[in-house]
Amino acid sequence: MPGPPKRADARRNYERILAAAEEEIARDGAVASLEEIARRAGVGSATLHRHFPSRRALLEAVFHDRVEVLCLQARDLAGAPDAGQALADWLRAVAVFGATTRGLASSMLPGVEAAADSDCGPMLMTAGDILLRRARTAGAARPGVTIADVLTIVNAISLATEQHPRAAEEAARLTTLALSGVVSA
Amino acid sequence: MPGPPKRADARRNYERILAAAEEEIARDGAVASLEEIARRAGVGSATLHRHFPSRRALLEAVFHDRVEVLCLQARDLAGAPDAGQALADWLRAVAVFGATTRGLASSMLPGVEAAADSDCGPMLMTAGDILLRRARTAGAARPGVTIADVLTIVNAISLATEQHPRAAEEAARLTTLALSGVVSA
DNA sequence: AACTAAAGCGGAGGGGCACCCCACTTGTCA
DNA sequence: TGACAAGTGGGGTGCCCCTCCGCTTTAGTT
């Protein structure tokens, strides 16, 4: 929410923290040590906490750009001939991305401190909603299902497959499964 | 794995810890403070760590009985007329249970320290497998789907809905969704 | 009942972490 | 260049997990 700060040194520290956080989170996931991040960034822990008031705020900042890429992919797919296929493809991409980007999935969970600074979630929602609507009018998506529902399931799958040896593969497979159904009863 | 210990005082402490853990985990989920549990149990922290070498071991012990109940439900449902419905019903029950029992779902996630003492997961697997096989021979379940797949998805849904105001409802709804599918593409 | 070896106990301590306070430095702009 | 706001980071607090090790309790033996 605060966005990059104004003073030159402050902005430099902000970027350093972001870079360090990226590395650490890639290694340890969402529970990476904030102190270690500050250490790697060469700043005091107070500086980190000033720029990012909560762990979640830091995670959101780290993942923001990559989530944006996913949203752009959604816009591209919005012109695809098969609306159902487009939706499914995009959701698989989301699942794979979440499963291979350590810490992302858990940061998407509606936690206690979600309210204000939430950003990535809504971004994906609006991007995916376009695909879902299109699929629905094409008769390819079950009516009554919201994009929130679908993304919750996909995110959950990311979370559950994050530690799998072949996380990407597994996430895609389970997503396909959940989208097409398991029982016919 | 160690099971209740032999000496009388040790067994008493074991039970006290279990009782205290139940309360604390109900309140704080899987991240409950082990020290607080020991404190509430009137026991030194070393005693807790001796009886339960890892957090996971404690969680498994706490949830073991309730998971057993679920497994018995599965055996009851194995005689139901509609095999697909029986499977779906049971999976919904698993999802609701996981979503409303704080900490359970995350303790089921295949973590780093999963291997040896894992217990609840396999229990549910074998119980559910019966229902799945029956559904499959009845043509109600998509072939190629394993019970591990389905339970992973259901557990993931529990995890994602754990914090929802109406967790049970939401877990059941999303499970139904995932089982019957979302897109027809 | 007394004894003893083993089993169990728990306080204290090491190491880590998140988060905050506040005296100090540094950038900015007139 | 000077003054002031903006920004900094070391150190402190409180909590946590986990282990070491000297002490207490139990269970079995005579």
PDB file of all heavy atoms in Angstrom, chain C residues 7-20:
ATOM      1  P    DA C   7      14.934 -48.374  31.140  1.00  0.00           P
ATOM      2  OP1  DA C   7      14.388 -49.525  30.411  1.00  0.00           O
ATOM      3  OP2  DA C   7      16.088 -47.599  30.625  1.00  0.00           O
ATOM      4  O5'  DA C   7      13.738 -47.359  31.413  1.00  0.00           O
ATOM      5  C5'  DA C   7      12.740 -47.701  32.358  1.00  0.00           C
ATOM      6  C4'  DA C   7      12.019 -46.469  32.820  1.00  0.00           C
ATOM      7  O4'  DA C   7      12.804 -45.798  33.853  1.00  0.00           O
ATOM      8  C3'  DA C   7      11.793 -45.433  31.717  1.00  0.00           C
ATOM      9  O3'  DA C   7      10.395 -45.170  31.657  1.00  0.00           O
ATOM     10  C2'  DA C   7      12.600 -44.219  32.154  1.00  0.00           C
ATOM     11  C1'  DA C   7      12.715 -44.403  33.665  1.00  0.00           C
ATOM     12  N9   DA C   7      13.920 -43.824  34.263  1.00  0.00           N
ATOM     13  C8   DA C   7      15.207 -43.953  33.829  1.00  0.00           C
ATOM     14  N7   DA C   7      16.088 -43.327  34.571  1.00  0.00           N
ATOM     15  C5   DA C   7      15.326 -42.747  35.571  1.00  0.00           C
ATOM     16  C6   DA C   7      15.676 -41.945  36.682  1.00  0.00           C
ATOM     17  N6   DA C   7      16.931 -41.586  36.978  1.00  0.00           N
ATOM     18  N1   DA C   7      14.680 -41.526  37.488  1.00  0.00           N
ATOM     19  C2   DA C   7      13.421 -41.897  37.189  1.00  0.00           C
ATOM     20  N3   DA C   7      12.976 -42.646  36.173  1.00  0.00           N
ATOM     21  C4   DA C   7      13.993 -43.047  35.391  1.00  0.00           C
ATOM     22  P    DG C   8       9.805 -44.158  30.659  1.00  0.00           P
ATOM     23  OP1  DG C   8       8.419 -44.563  30.388  1.00  0.00           O
ATOM     24  OP2  DG C   8      10.795 -44.002  29.576  1.00  0.00           O
ATOM     25  O5'  DG C   8       9.775 -42.814  31.504  1.00  0.00           O
ATOM     26  C5'  DG C   8       9.080 -42.805  32.737  1.00  0.00           C
ATOM     27  C4'  DG C   8       9.325 -41.496  33.450  1.00  0.00           C
ATOM     28  O4'  DG C   8      10.710 -41.409  33.842  1.00  0.00           O
ATOM     29  C3'  DG C   8       9.049 -40.244  32.598  1.00  0.00           C
ATOM     30  O3'  DG C   8       8.041 -39.492  33.253  1.00  0.00           O
ATOM     31  C2'  DG C   8      10.397 -39.516  32.567  1.00  0.00           C
ATOM     32  C1'  DG C   8      11.079 -40.050  33.826  1.00  0.00           C
ATOM     33  N9   DG C   8      12.532 -39.975  33.806  1.00  0.00           N
ATOM     34  C8   DG C   8      13.380 -40.530  32.879  1.00  0.00           C
ATOM     35  N7   DG C   8      14.644 -40.286  33.120  1.00  0.00           N
ATOM     36  C5   DG C   8      14.626 -39.519  34.287  1.00  0.00           C
ATOM     37  C6   DG C   8      15.705 -38.954  35.039  1.00  0.00           C
ATOM     38  O6   DG C   8      16.916 -39.016  34.809  1.00  0.00           O
ATOM     39  N1   DG C   8      15.238 -38.256  36.145  1.00  0.00           N
ATOM     40  C2   DG C   8      13.929 -38.118  36.488  1.00  0.00           C
ATOM     41  N2   DG C   8      13.675 -37.411  37.594  1.00  0.00           N
ATOM     42  N3   DG C   8      12.916 -38.642  35.810  1.00  0.00           N
ATOM     43  C4   DG C   8      13.333 -39.329  34.716  1.00  0.00           C
ATOM     44  P    DC C   9       7.526 -38.167  32.625  1.00  0.00           P
ATOM     45  OP1  DC C   9       6.087 -38.037  32.952  1.00  0.00           O
ATOM     46  OP2  DC C   9       7.981 -38.082  31.222  1.00  0.00           O
ATOM     47  O5'  DC C   9       8.321 -37.102  33.485  1.00  0.00           O
ATOM     48  C5'  DC C   9       8.155 -37.095  34.905  1.00  0.00           C
ATOM     49  C4'  DC C   9       9.021 -36.024  35.505  1.00  0.00           C
ATOM     50  O4'  DC C   9      10.394 -36.378  35.308  1.00  0.00           O
ATOM     51  C3'  DC C   9       8.830 -34.657  34.866  1.00  0.00           C
ATOM     52  O3'  DC C   9       8.245 -33.782  35.821  1.00  0.00           O
ATOM     53  C2'  DC C   9      10.239 -34.210  34.439  1.00  0.00           C
ATOM     54  C1'  DC C   9      11.159 -35.207  35.144  1.00  0.00           C
ATOM     55  N1   DC C   9      12.346 -35.592  34.335  1.00  0.00           N
ATOM     56  C2   DC C   9      13.627 -35.170  34.715  1.00  0.00           C
ATOM     57  O2   DC C   9      13.749 -34.449  35.702  1.00  0.00           O
ATOM     58  N3   DC C   9      14.701 -35.546  33.981  1.00  0.00           N
ATOM     59  C4   DC C   9      14.537 -36.330  32.914  1.00  0.00           C
ATOM     60  N4   DC C   9      15.621 -36.698  32.216  1.00  0.00           N
ATOM     61  C5   DC C   9      13.242 -36.782  32.508  1.00  0.00           C
ATOM     62  C6   DC C   9      12.176 -36.391  33.248  1.00  0.00           C
ATOM     63  P    DG C  10       7.424 -32.551  35.285  1.00  0.00           P
ATOM     64  OP1  DG C  10       6.363 -32.295  36.270  1.00  0.00           O
ATOM     65  OP2  DG C  10       7.087 -32.763  33.869  1.00  0.00           O
ATOM     66  O5'  DG C  10       8.496 -31.384  35.374  1.00  0.00           O
ATOM     67  C5'  DG C  10       9.117 -31.129  36.611  1.00  0.00           C
ATOM     68  C4'  DG C  10      10.246 -30.136  36.423  1.00  0.00           C
ATOM     69  O4'  DG C  10      11.343 -30.806  35.755  1.00  0.00           O
ATOM     70  C3'  DG C  10       9.877 -28.954  35.518  1.00  0.00           C
ATOM     71  O3'  DG C  10      10.563 -27.810  35.964  1.00  0.00           O
ATOM     72  C2'  DG C  10      10.431 -29.377  34.165  1.00  0.00           C
ATOM     73  C1'  DG C  10      11.704 -30.070  34.602  1.00  0.00           C
ATOM     74  N9   DG C  10      12.233 -30.998  33.617  1.00  0.00           N
ATOM     75  C8   DG C  10      11.524 -31.717  32.674  1.00  0.00           C
ATOM     76  N7   DG C  10      12.272 -32.467  31.917  1.00  0.00           N
ATOM     77  C5   DG C  10      13.559 -32.243  32.385  1.00  0.00           C
ATOM     78  C6   DG C  10      14.794 -32.787  31.957  1.00  0.00           C
ATOM     79  O6   DG C  10      15.004 -33.602  31.052  1.00  0.00           O
ATOM     80  N1   DG C  10      15.865 -32.294  32.698  1.00  0.00           N
ATOM     81  C2   DG C  10      15.752 -31.385  33.743  1.00  0.00           C
ATOM     82  N2   DG C  10      16.882 -31.022  34.326  1.00  0.00           N
ATOM     83  N3   DG C  10      14.599 -30.872  34.146  1.00  0.00           N
ATOM     84  C4   DG C  10      13.547 -31.345  33.427  1.00  0.00           C
ATOM     85  P    DG C  11       9.824 -26.554  36.443  1.00  0.00           P
ATOM     86  OP1  DG C  11       9.053 -26.903  37.649  1.00  0.00           O
ATOM     87  OP2  DG C  11       9.159 -25.956  35.279  1.00  0.00           O
ATOM     88  O5'  DG C  11      11.058 -25.606  36.866  1.00  0.00           O
ATOM     89  C5'  DG C  11      11.990 -26.043  37.829  1.00  0.00           C
ATOM     90  C4'  DG C  11      13.406 -25.665  37.420  1.00  0.00           C
ATOM     91  O4'  DG C  11      13.896 -26.570  36.398  1.00  0.00           O
ATOM     92  C3'  DG C  11      13.547 -24.253  36.855  1.00  0.00           C
ATOM     93  O3'  DG C  11      14.787 -23.715  37.319  1.00  0.00           O
ATOM     94  C2'  DG C  11      13.577 -24.494  35.335  1.00  0.00           C
ATOM     95  C1'  DG C  11      14.326 -25.829  35.264  1.00  0.00           C
ATOM     96  N9   DG C  11      14.024 -26.637  34.084  1.00  0.00           N
ATOM     97  C8   DG C  11      12.788 -26.868  33.539  1.00  0.00           C
ATOM     98  N7   DG C  11      12.824 -27.658  32.493  1.00  0.00           N
ATOM     99  C5   DG C  11      14.165 -27.970  32.342  1.00  0.00           C
ATOM    100  C6   DG C  11      14.820 -28.790  31.383  1.00  0.00           C
ATOM    101  O6   DG C  11      14.329 -29.432  30.454  1.00  0.00           O
ATOM    102  N1   DG C  11      16.192 -28.831  31.579  1.00  0.00           N
ATOM    103  C2   DG C  11      16.858 -28.165  32.587  1.00  0.00           C
ATOM    104  N2   DG C  11      18.172 -28.314  32.617  1.00  0.00           N
ATOM    105  N3   DG C  11      16.268 -27.403  33.496  1.00  0.00           N
ATOM    106  C4   DG C  11      14.916 -27.348  33.309  1.00  0.00           C
ATOM    107  P    DA C  12      15.058 -22.176  37.212  1.00  0.00           P
ATOM    108  OP1  DA C  12      15.236 -21.703  38.600  1.00  0.00           O
ATOM    109  OP2  DA C  12      14.059 -21.537  36.328  1.00  0.00           O
ATOM    110  O5'  DA C  12      16.474 -22.146  36.478  1.00  0.00           O
ATOM    111  C5'  DA C  12      17.340 -23.282  36.551  1.00  0.00           C
ATOM    112  C4'  DA C  12      18.261 -23.291  35.333  1.00  0.00           C
ATOM    113  O4'  DA C  12      17.686 -24.115  34.282  1.00  0.00           O
ATOM    114  C3'  DA C  12      18.485 -21.912  34.705  1.00  0.00           C
ATOM    115  O3'  DA C  12      19.831 -21.834  34.269  1.00  0.00           O
ATOM    116  C2'  DA C  12      17.521 -21.912  33.528  1.00  0.00           C
ATOM    117  C1'  DA C  12      17.648 -23.365  33.080  1.00  0.00           C
ATOM    118  N9   DA C  12      16.535 -23.858  32.278  1.00  0.00           N
ATOM    119  C8   DA C  12      15.204 -23.554  32.404  1.00  0.00           C
ATOM    120  N7   DA C  12      14.428 -24.167  31.540  1.00  0.00           N
ATOM    121  C5   DA C  12      15.311 -24.933  30.787  1.00  0.00           C
ATOM    122  C6   DA C  12      15.115 -25.818  29.719  1.00  0.00           C
ATOM    123  N6   DA C  12      13.928 -26.088  29.186  1.00  0.00           N
ATOM    124  N1   DA C  12      16.214 -26.424  29.205  1.00  0.00           N
ATOM    125  C2   DA C  12      17.405 -26.147  29.734  1.00  0.00           C
ATOM    126  N3   DA C  12      17.711 -25.342  30.749  1.00  0.00           N
ATOM    127  C4   DA C  12      16.606 -24.762  31.231  1.00  0.00           C
ATOM    128  P    DG C  13      20.533 -20.505  33.898  1.00  0.00           P
ATOM    129  OP1  DG C  13      21.558 -20.302  34.932  1.00  0.00           O
ATOM    130  OP2  DG C  13      19.474 -19.501  33.651  1.00  0.00           O
ATOM    131  O5'  DG C  13      21.262 -20.784  32.520  1.00  0.00           O
ATOM    132  C5'  DG C  13      21.617 -22.122  32.163  1.00  0.00           C
ATOM    133  C4'  DG C  13      21.707 -22.231  30.656  1.00  0.00           C
ATOM    134  O4'  DG C  13      20.468 -22.762  30.122  1.00  0.00           O
ATOM    135  C3'  DG C  13      21.901 -20.878  29.945  1.00  0.00           C
ATOM    136  O3'  DG C  13      22.726 -21.091  28.812  1.00  0.00           O
ATOM    137  C2'  DG C  13      20.486 -20.517  29.516  1.00  0.00           C
ATOM    138  C1'  DG C  13      20.004 -21.899  29.105  1.00  0.00           C
ATOM    139  N9   DG C  13      18.560 -22.031  29.000  1.00  0.00           N
ATOM    140  C8   DG C  13      17.604 -21.382  29.755  1.00  0.00           C
ATOM    141  N7   DG C  13      16.387 -21.699  29.409  1.00  0.00           N
ATOM    142  C5   DG C  13      16.543 -22.605  28.368  1.00  0.00           C
ATOM    143  C6   DG C  13      15.580 -23.293  27.592  1.00  0.00           C
ATOM    144  O6   DG C  13      14.352 -23.234  27.682  1.00  0.00           O
ATOM    145  N1   DG C  13      16.175 -24.111  26.632  1.00  0.00           N
ATOM    146  C2   DG C  13      17.530 -24.249  26.452  1.00  0.00           C
ATOM    147  N2   DG C  13      17.908 -25.071  25.492  1.00  0.00           N
ATOM    148  N3   DG C  13      18.445 -23.614  27.181  1.00  0.00           N
ATOM    149  C4   DG C  13      17.880 -22.818  28.107  1.00  0.00           C
ATOM    150  P    DG C  14      23.625 -19.992  28.222  1.00  0.00           P
ATOM    151  OP1  DG C  14      24.937 -20.115  28.880  1.00  0.00           O
ATOM    152  OP2  DG C  14      22.870 -18.722  28.276  1.00  0.00           O
ATOM    153  O5'  DG C  14      23.780 -20.431  26.709  1.00  0.00           O
ATOM    154  C5'  DG C  14      23.859 -21.821  26.378  1.00  0.00           C
ATOM    155  C4'  DG C  14      23.352 -22.045  24.976  1.00  0.00           C
ATOM    156  O4'  DG C  14      21.913 -22.241  24.999  1.00  0.00           O
ATOM    157  C3'  DG C  14      23.600 -20.858  24.031  1.00  0.00           C
ATOM    158  O3'  DG C  14      24.020 -21.359  22.761  1.00  0.00           O
ATOM    159  C2'  DG C  14      22.246 -20.162  23.957  1.00  0.00           C
ATOM    160  C1'  DG C  14      21.289 -21.327  24.122  1.00  0.00           C
ATOM    161  N9   DG C  14      20.000 -20.959  24.705  1.00  0.00           N
ATOM    162  C8   DG C  14      19.788 -20.108  25.769  1.00  0.00           C
ATOM    163  N7   DG C  14      18.517 -19.985  26.068  1.00  0.00           N
ATOM    164  C5   DG C  14      17.859 -20.800  25.153  1.00  0.00           C
ATOM    165  C6   DG C  14      16.482 -21.072  24.987  1.00  0.00           C
ATOM    166  O6   DG C  14      15.524 -20.637  25.646  1.00  0.00           O
ATOM    167  N1   DG C  14      16.255 -21.951  23.932  1.00  0.00           N
ATOM    168  C2   DG C  14      17.223 -22.502  23.146  1.00  0.00           C
ATOM    169  N2   DG C  14      16.822 -23.314  22.188  1.00  0.00           N
ATOM    170  N3   DG C  14      18.528 -22.255  23.291  1.00  0.00           N
ATOM    171  C4   DG C  14      18.770 -21.405  24.310  1.00  0.00           C
ATOM    172  P    DG C  15      24.646 -20.392  21.704  1.00  0.00           P
ATOM    173  OP1  DG C  15      25.772 -21.100  21.072  1.00  0.00           O
ATOM    174  OP2  DG C  15      24.837 -19.065  22.335  1.00  0.00           O
ATOM    175  O5'  DG C  15      23.482 -20.247  20.635  1.00  0.00           O
ATOM    176  C5'  DG C  15      22.900 -21.416  20.074  1.00  0.00           C
ATOM    177  C4'  DG C  15      21.657 -21.024  19.320  1.00  0.00           C
ATOM    178  O4'  DG C  15      20.566 -20.845  20.255  1.00  0.00           O
ATOM    179  C3'  DG C  15      21.799 -19.684  18.566  1.00  0.00           C
ATOM    180  O3'  DG C  15      21.377 -19.867  17.228  1.00  0.00           O
ATOM    181  C2'  DG C  15      20.907 -18.740  19.342  1.00  0.00           C
ATOM    182  C1'  DG C  15      19.848 -19.702  19.876  1.00  0.00           C
ATOM    183  N9   DG C  15      19.135 -19.173  21.031  1.00  0.00           N
ATOM    184  C8   DG C  15      19.651 -18.467  22.085  1.00  0.00           C
ATOM    185  N7   DG C  15      18.749 -18.102  22.958  1.00  0.00           N
ATOM    186  C5   DG C  15      17.566 -18.589  22.441  1.00  0.00           C
ATOM    187  C6   DG C  15      16.244 -18.500  22.937  1.00  0.00           C
ATOM    188  O6   DG C  15      15.841 -17.955  23.964  1.00  0.00           O
ATOM    189  N1   DG C  15      15.334 -19.131  22.092  1.00  0.00           N
ATOM    190  C2   DG C  15      15.652 -19.768  20.916  1.00  0.00           C
ATOM    191  N2   DG C  15      14.658 -20.322  20.234  1.00  0.00           N
ATOM    192  N3   DG C  15      16.885 -19.859  20.446  1.00  0.00           N
ATOM    193  C4   DG C  15      17.789 -19.249  21.252  1.00  0.00           C
ATOM    194  P    DG C  16      21.467 -18.620  16.186  1.00  0.00           P
ATOM    195  OP1  DG C  16      22.196 -19.179  15.041  1.00  0.00           O
ATOM    196  OP2  DG C  16      21.900 -17.402  16.887  1.00  0.00           O
ATOM    197  O5'  DG C  16      19.963 -18.370  15.762  1.00  0.00           O
ATOM    198  C5'  DG C  16      19.023 -19.348  16.111  1.00  0.00           C
ATOM    199  C4'  DG C  16      17.643 -18.939  15.692  1.00  0.00           C
ATOM    200  O4'  DG C  16      16.870 -18.774  16.906  1.00  0.00           O
ATOM    201  C3'  DG C  16      17.524 -17.613  14.937  1.00  0.00           C
ATOM    202  O3'  DG C  16      16.618 -17.742  13.838  1.00  0.00           O
ATOM    203  C2'  DG C  16      16.980 -16.641  15.963  1.00  0.00           C
ATOM    204  C1'  DG C  16      16.244 -17.529  16.948  1.00  0.00           C
ATOM    205  N9   DG C  16      16.359 -16.974  18.289  1.00  0.00           N
ATOM    206  C8   DG C  16      17.499 -16.610  18.938  1.00  0.00           C
ATOM    207  N7   DG C  16      17.285 -16.090  20.122  1.00  0.00           N
ATOM    208  C5   DG C  16      15.899 -16.120  20.250  1.00  0.00           C
ATOM    209  C6   DG C  16      15.076 -15.693  21.318  1.00  0.00           C
ATOM    210  O6   DG C  16      15.409 -15.181  22.387  1.00  0.00           O
ATOM    211  N1   DG C  16      13.739 -15.896  21.039  1.00  0.00           N
ATOM    212  C2   DG C  16      13.258 -16.458  19.880  1.00  0.00           C
ATOM    213  N2   DG C  16      11.934 -16.580  19.786  1.00  0.00           N
ATOM    214  N3   DG C  16      14.016 -16.868  18.883  1.00  0.00           N
ATOM    215  C4   DG C  16      15.325 -16.668  19.129  1.00  0.00           C
ATOM    216  P    DC C  17      16.481 -16.587  12.775  1.00  0.00           P
ATOM    217  OP1  DC C  17      16.347 -17.253  11.474  1.00  0.00           O
ATOM    218  OP2  DC C  17      17.501 -15.549  13.001  1.00  0.00           O
ATOM    219  O5'  DC C  17      15.075 -15.963  13.161  1.00  0.00           O
ATOM    220  C5'  DC C  17      13.943 -16.816  13.301  1.00  0.00           C
ATOM    221  C4'  DC C  17      12.833 -16.040  13.953  1.00  0.00           C
ATOM    222  O4'  DC C  17      13.145 -15.820  15.336  1.00  0.00           O
ATOM    223  C3'  DC C  17      12.659 -14.669  13.327  1.00  0.00           C
ATOM    224  O3'  DC C  17      11.451 -14.627  12.609  1.00  0.00           O
ATOM    225  C2'  DC C  17      12.654 -13.692  14.507  1.00  0.00           C
ATOM    226  C1'  DC C  17      12.602 -14.584  15.727  1.00  0.00           C
ATOM    227  N1   DC C  17      13.448 -14.058  16.831  1.00  0.00           N
ATOM    228  C2   DC C  17      12.839 -13.535  17.966  1.00  0.00           C
ATOM    229  O2   DC C  17      11.608 -13.520  18.033  1.00  0.00           O
ATOM    230  N3   DC C  17      13.613 -13.057  18.966  1.00  0.00           N
ATOM    231  C4   DC C  17      14.934 -13.092  18.853  1.00  0.00           C
ATOM    232  N4   DC C  17      15.682 -12.623  19.841  1.00  0.00           N
ATOM    233  C5   DC C  17      15.577 -13.620  17.682  1.00  0.00           C
ATOM    234  C6   DC C  17      14.797 -14.088  16.704  1.00  0.00           C
ATOM    235  P    DA C  18      11.101 -13.391  11.716  1.00  0.00           P
ATOM    236  OP1  DA C  18      10.263 -13.876  10.618  1.00  0.00           O
ATOM    237  OP2  DA C  18      12.327 -12.619  11.444  1.00  0.00           O
ATOM    238  O5'  DA C  18      10.176 -12.547  12.704  1.00  0.00           O
ATOM    239  C5'  DA C  18       8.928 -13.091  13.089  1.00  0.00           C
ATOM    240  C4'  DA C  18       8.225 -12.131  14.014  1.00  0.00           C
ATOM    241  O4'  DA C  18       9.055 -11.880  15.173  1.00  0.00           O
ATOM    242  C3'  DA C  18       7.924 -10.762  13.414  1.00  0.00           C
ATOM    243  O3'  DA C  18       6.646 -10.373  13.868  1.00  0.00           O
ATOM    244  C2'  DA C  18       9.035  -9.868  13.971  1.00  0.00           C
ATOM    245  C1'  DA C  18       9.272 -10.483  15.335  1.00  0.00           C
ATOM    246  N9   DA C  18      10.629 -10.343  15.854  1.00  0.00           N
ATOM    247  C8   DA C  18      11.800 -10.622  15.209  1.00  0.00           C
ATOM    248  N7   DA C  18      12.873 -10.423  15.942  1.00  0.00           N
ATOM    249  C5   DA C  18      12.372  -9.985  17.157  1.00  0.00           C
ATOM    250  C6   DA C  18      13.003  -9.602  18.358  1.00  0.00           C
ATOM    251  N6   DA C  18      14.330  -9.607  18.532  1.00  0.00           N
ATOM    252  N1   DA C  18      12.200  -9.205  19.378  1.00  0.00           N
ATOM    253  C2   DA C  18      10.876  -9.208  19.195  1.00  0.00           C
ATOM    254  N3   DA C  18      10.166  -9.546  18.115  1.00  0.00           N
ATOM    255  C4   DA C  18      10.988  -9.932  17.127  1.00  0.00           C
ATOM    256  P    DC C  19       5.831  -9.238  13.101  1.00  0.00           P
ATOM    257  OP1  DC C  19       4.400  -9.597  13.175  1.00  0.00           O
ATOM    258  OP2  DC C  19       6.477  -8.979  11.800  1.00  0.00           O
ATOM    259  O5'  DC C  19       6.058  -7.981  14.046  1.00  0.00           O
ATOM    260  C5'  DC C  19       5.813  -8.110  15.451  1.00  0.00           C
ATOM    261  C4'  DC C  19       6.548  -7.028  16.196  1.00  0.00           C
ATOM    262  O4'  DC C  19       7.948  -7.339  16.302  1.00  0.00           O
ATOM    263  C3'  DC C  19       6.498  -5.634  15.557  1.00  0.00           C
ATOM    264  O3'  DC C  19       5.724  -4.798  16.400  1.00  0.00           O
ATOM    265  C2'  DC C  19       7.969  -5.212  15.470  1.00  0.00           C
ATOM    266  C1'  DC C  19       8.609  -6.122  16.507  1.00  0.00           C
ATOM    267  N1   DC C  19      10.078  -6.341  16.361  1.00  0.00           N
ATOM    268  C2   DC C  19      10.894  -6.148  17.470  1.00  0.00           C
ATOM    269  O2   DC C  19      10.390  -5.799  18.545  1.00  0.00           O
ATOM    270  N3   DC C  19      12.230  -6.334  17.343  1.00  0.00           N
ATOM    271  C4   DC C  19      12.752  -6.714  16.175  1.00  0.00           C
ATOM    272  N4   DC C  19      14.067  -6.891  16.111  1.00  0.00           N
ATOM    273  C5   DC C  19      11.931  -6.923  15.028  1.00  0.00           C
ATOM    274  C6   DC C  19      10.603  -6.735  15.162  1.00  0.00           C
ATOM    275  P    DC C  20       5.366  -3.316  16.019  1.00  0.00           P
ATOM    276  OP1  DC C  20       3.938  -3.104  16.324  1.00  0.00           O
ATOM    277  OP2  DC C  20       5.899  -3.015  14.679  1.00  0.00           O
ATOM    278  O5'  DC C  20       6.224  -2.504  17.097  1.00  0.00           O
ATOM    279  C5'  DC C  20       6.221  -2.936  18.460  1.00  0.00           C
ATOM    280  C4'  DC C  20       7.206  -2.105  19.258  1.00  0.00           C
ATOM    281  O4'  DC C  20       8.555  -2.565  19.012  1.00  0.00           O
ATOM    282  C3'  DC C  20       7.197  -0.617  18.908  1.00  0.00           C
ATOM    283  O3'  DC C  20       7.231   0.126  20.122  1.00  0.00           O
ATOM    284  C2'  DC C  20       8.472  -0.423  18.085  1.00  0.00           C
ATOM    285  C1'  DC C  20       9.391  -1.489  18.678  1.00  0.00           C
ATOM    286  N1   DC C  20      10.413  -2.008  17.724  1.00  0.00           N
ATOM    287  C2   DC C  20      11.751  -2.127  18.147  1.00  0.00           C
ATOM    288  O2   DC C  20      12.051  -1.791  19.281  1.00  0.00           O
ATOM    289  N3   DC C  20      12.670  -2.600  17.270  1.00  0.00           N
ATOM    290  C4   DC C  20      12.307  -2.957  16.041  1.00  0.00           C
ATOM    291  N4   DC C  20      13.251  -3.437  15.212  1.00  0.00           N
ATOM    292  C5   DC C  20      10.958  -2.846  15.600  1.00  0.00           C
ATOM    293  C6   DC C  20      10.048  -2.369  16.469  1.00  0.00           C
TER     294       DC C  20
END
